[in-house]
Amino acid sequence: MTRRKRHVSHFEYEKDGMRHMGVKFYIEGPDKKGTVNVEVREDESGVYEYRYLFVDVEGYPPTDHRY
């Protein structure tokens, strides 16, 4: 099986004197695919702290409401 190089997008910006960085990349498991979104910001000591990390899973929640 041939693997393709996955695209990772990122952005950086400064707000209120603090540096922020975001990253978006794709993941795939045996049954589902998803998109990972992460944003961090640099604190006063130069350490990056997570603002958020979430995974958007394709097909979840289900849109078919036949339970």
Side-chain angles (χ1 to χ4, degrees), residues 6-62:
R6 298 285 179 172
H7 180 71
V8 176
S9 62
H10 72 283
F11 59 91
E12 296 181 38
Y13 65 95
E14 191 168 318
K15 181 178 178 184
D16 300 327
M18 298 180 80
R19 291 181 57 193
H20 296 254
M21 180 173 38
V23 179
K24 178 179 176 180
F25 59 94
Y26 302 98
I27 58 174
E28 185 175 340
D31 298 323
K32 300 279 185 187
K33 296 179 183 180
T35 306
V36 178
N37 296 274
V38 181
E39 187 169 328
V40 295
R41 70 175 168 205
E42 187 177 25
D43 68 11
E44 298 82 20
S45 63
V47 175
Y48 280 94
E49 300 175 332
Y50 283 91
R51 292 194 63 218
Y52 62 79
L53 183 152
F54 66 89
V55 179
D56 183 21
V57 178
E58 291 181 13
Y60 185 85

